[in-house]
Amino acid sequence: PTATFINTGRGAQVDEAALASTLKRNPLQTALLDVTFPEPIRPWNALLRCGNAYVTPHIAGSLGEEKARIEELRLVVGGSAPLYEVDSASFERSA
């Protein structure tokens, strides 16, 4: 009755609608997810309305270079060009 479900693998492995339904029926159960399908999670996903579901950013690929990523974000938000451009070919090589 107080189970905790954790998924850090792949979002597509989980039937998110069924998980949300289960969590709504069982408020003592919890889900911890750092992956969803699709990513990023859509605003209408029922899991976001479950007080016992926690969705965090997928960070499995973190290698300690997060500070550089934050600096890139600051450049772009500030109206400057990024130091490291991402194009469609980059996505084909990404995990």
Side-chain angles (χ1 to χ4, degrees):
T2 60
T4 298
F5 176 79
I6 301 171
N7 186 22
T8 61
R10 296 281 183 250
Q13 294 173 311
V14 176
D15 181 338
E16 294 176 357
L19 178 59
S21 177
T22 297
L23 292 173
K24 287 178 182 176
R25 285 192 317 271
N26 302 287
L28 297 179
Q29 294 179 352
T30 304
L32 308 173
L33 310 167
D34 92 335
V35 289
T36 59
F37 186 80
E39 284 186 318
I41 193 168
R42 301 300 189 250
W44 54 82
N45 190 306
L47 288 169
L48 296 176
R49 290 180 293 287
C50 294
N52 48 345
Y54 300 89
V55 181
T56 61
H58 185 56
I59 60 169
S62 291
L63 300 172
E65 300 172 356
E66 290 74 26
K67 186 175 182 207
R69 294 177 189 165
I70 292 171
E71 293 305 319
E72 281 286 286
L73 179 61
R74 285 184 183 150
L75 286 171
V76 173
V77 170
S80 299
L83 297 175
Y84 308 100
E85 182 178 353
V86 177
D87 56 24
S88 59
S90 299
F91 284 113
E92 292 175 13
R93 297 187 307 268
S94 298

